[in-house]
Amino acid sequence: MPGLRPDSPASPSPEVRRARTSFSGASSKVATTSMGKVVRTKAPAEPKARLKEVEKQGRCDRTVSSLRRLSPPPSLASPELGQTRCSWITANSEPRYVAFHDEEWGVPVYDDQKLFELLTLSQALAELTWPTILNKREEFREMFDGFNYASVSEFTDKKINLLSKSNGNMLLSEQKIRAVVTNAKHMHKVIQDFGTFSNYCWSFVNHRPVKSSFHYARQVPIKTPKSEAVSKAMMRRGFQCVGPTTIYSFMQVAGIVNDHLSCCFRSQDCRDSKRKVEAGPVLIERIRLSSPPSSEDSETSREV
């Protein structure tokens, strides 16, 4: 066998061959045959060759890994693909929450009914978390007629009391339910003045999403001067439960503000999906007269 050299030039006996075989894994062994002959064995060459082969294979694996890192990321989001997401999405995050981050949060929304839904869900953040809200989303939709604000605005006190009493899982308090109904009613007035609720919401940022290039989650604020201005404006119009923190959460989820971290693959995706709202001359003039721009509207400290 390769790598074994007996002390005697004579052909080895079967006993010696058996001794060699039994000590083939040792680096240096001394074996004694049944005839009393001492045979010194050395480490076989096969393990060294195998080490070289493994080392070569390891270099190949590292090369493949490097190529994968250099290749552009795939366009479809999937946990298996190792997409870099915002740091609050972890390996333990619920799939529904991950999908919400990848497909909804930060995407500009211009549909009035969808905006009313997101405003309502943002109000629920005062009592619940996003994962809980998403798990109960269908129950919210059933409670508020699919977030049809025209239907919700006609809820009577009897209907509200029925919802609050039958709300055994305590999705929202009675105060929050009444606030949702009140907000649905005020949306009609906003639509009369601005054409759509979407135009009203987007007018605070000149109809362009605000991009915040934050690197760390701790940098993301819970409210901003802009959300405070929107909150005050909506309160003057009679909206309820629309504090600056709630409004900022609404602006984030509706894509009015893009707060995906700069390392997140959704940061650029949401930015590319922005669409400037088209408004006719009459509507623009109505917006100008109804809500003259303030100093906060012209702030340029954050990238748009």
Side-chain angles (χ1 to χ4, degrees), residues 194-246:
F194 291 86
T196 64
F197 183 61
S198 172
N199 281 333
Y200 174 69
C201 295
W202 283 94
S203 66
F204 291 97
V205 293
N206 296 323
H207 303 283
R208 299 177 63 191
V210 177
K211 177 66 181 74
S212 305
S213 300
F214 296 122
H215 297 284
Y216 306 101
R218 63 176 179 270
Q219 295 176 306
V220 181
I222 60 174
K223 63 179 180 179
T224 62
K226 179 66 67 178
S227 71
E228 292 177 349
V230 177
S231 173
K232 291 178 181 178
M234 295 186 74
M235 286 182 179
R236 285 196 297 267
R237 286 185 166 270
F239 285 81
Q240 297 180 1
C241 296
V242 287
T245 301
T246 296

Side-chain angles (χ1 to χ4, degrees), residues 73-301:
S75 59
L76 295 179
S78 173
E80 292 79 7
L81 298 179
Q83 296 276 17
T84 301
R85 295 180 170 86
C86 295
S87 58
W88 51 85
I89 300 296
T90 67
N92 297 325
S93 296
E94 298 180 13
R96 185 178 281 109
Y97 188 39
V98 177
F100 174 70
H101 168 273
D102 292 352
E103 301 169 10
E104 286 192 67
W105 197 78
V107 178
V109 176
Y110 302 94
D111 178 75
D112 283 359
Q113 185 164 320
K114 183 68 174 179
L115 287 170
F116 177 64
E117 174 183 359
L118 297 180
L119 177 61
T120 302
L121 297 181
S122 297
Q123 291 172 320
L125 283 174
E127 303 174 1
L128 305 170
T129 62
W130 270 125
T132 302
I133 291 172
L134 296 174
N135 289 332
K136 302 290 186 180
R137 197 169 193 173
E138 290 304 320
E139 297 180 38
F140 276 106
R141 286 172 175 162
E142 183 179 356
M143 178 185 296
F144 296 114
D145 292 349
F147 292 104
N148 185 335
Y149 57 87
S151 176
V152 174
S153 65
E154 297 178 355
F155 280 11
T156 62
D157 287 341
K158 182 179 179 180
K159 173 74 170 179
I160 295 174
N161 292 331
L162 180 62
L163 287 175
S164 60
K165 291 179 181 179
S166 62
N167 189 13
N169 51 9
M170 292 303 295
L171 287 179
L172 288 179
S173 62
E174 181 178 346
Q175 178 187 5
K176 284 291 193 300
I177 295 175
R178 291 187 178 278
V180 172
V181 175
T182 299
N183 294 344
K185 293 178 180 179
H186 289 297
M187 279 188 63
H188 292 290
K189 177 61 176 175
V190 170
I191 293 173
Q192 289 177 3
D193 293 342
F194 291 86
T196 64
F197 183 61
S198 172
N199 281 333
Y200 174 69
C201 295
W202 283 94
S203 66
F204 291 97
V205 293
N206 296 323
H207 303 283
R208 299 177 63 191
V210 177
K211 177 66 181 74
S212 305
S213 300
F214 296 122
H215 297 284
Y216 306 101
R218 63 176 179 270
Q219 295 176 306
V220 181
I222 60 174
K223 63 179 180 179
T224 62
K226 179 66 67 178
S227 71
E228 292 177 349
V230 177
S231 173
K232 291 178 181 178
M234 295 186 74
M235 286 182 179
R236 285 196 297 267
R237 286 185 166 270
F239 285 81
Q240 297 180 1
C241 296
V242 287
T245 301
T246 296
I247 290 301
Y248 194 66
S249 296
F250 166 68
M251 295 172 71
Q252 288 175 317
V253 70
I256 299 174
V257 172
N258 180 1
D259 270 352
H260 283 284
L261 300 183
S262 57
C263 64
C264 178
F265 79 101
R266 289 296 295 160
S267 177
Q268 187 62 39
D269 289 351
C270 291
R271 191 174 184 178
D272 293 340
S273 66
K274 69 182 181 181
R275 177 177 65 85
K276 188 174 182 179
V277 177
E278 297 293 337
V282 177
L283 177 59
I284 293 177
E285 180 66 15
R286 186 183 299 168
I287 293 175
R288 187 184 66 81
L289 295 175
S290 300
S291 57
S294 62
S295 59
E296 292 174 338
D297 291 333
S298 60
E299 66 177 1
T300 57
S301 59

